[in-house]
Amino acid sequence: APPPSSRRISTRIRQAIRERVENGKSIAEACRIAGIAQSTWFKAMTQPHVVAYVEATKGRFVSEIDRLK
């Protein structure tokens, strides 16, 4: 396994993911809000630990919505 430091997800990437998942923003808009380039988004999405974070964020969001029904 890679060292923990290489598995870190930046605050800006996390913000872009939340904008995309929780607020339904386009990738371009989520990146603009978070202050990152779209190329940064797409590079991050090639990392398995980032994809896992996206899926976990989606899961939490869906659970929250279901709980509010």
Side-chain angles (χ1 to χ4, degrees), residues 21-23 57-69:
V21 172
E22 297 172 10
N23 300 326
T57 302
K58 285 181 187 175
R60 280 193 305 274
F61 184 67
V62 169
S63 295
E64 252 179 62
I65 296 301
D66 285 346
R67 193 172 45 78
L68 296 173
K69 286 182 180 176

Side-chain angles (χ1 to χ4, degrees), residues 22-45:
E22 297 172 10
N23 300 326
K25 301 291 186 190
S26 66
I27 292 170
E29 185 69 3
C31 291
R32 186 190 66 73
I33 292 167
I36 61 170
Q38 287 187 57
S39 59
T40 302
W41 169 278
F42 289 111
K43 184 177 178 187
M45 293 304 137

Side-chain angles (χ1 to χ4, degrees), residues 1-7 48-49:
S5 60
S6 69
R7 297 180 56 93
H49 68 287

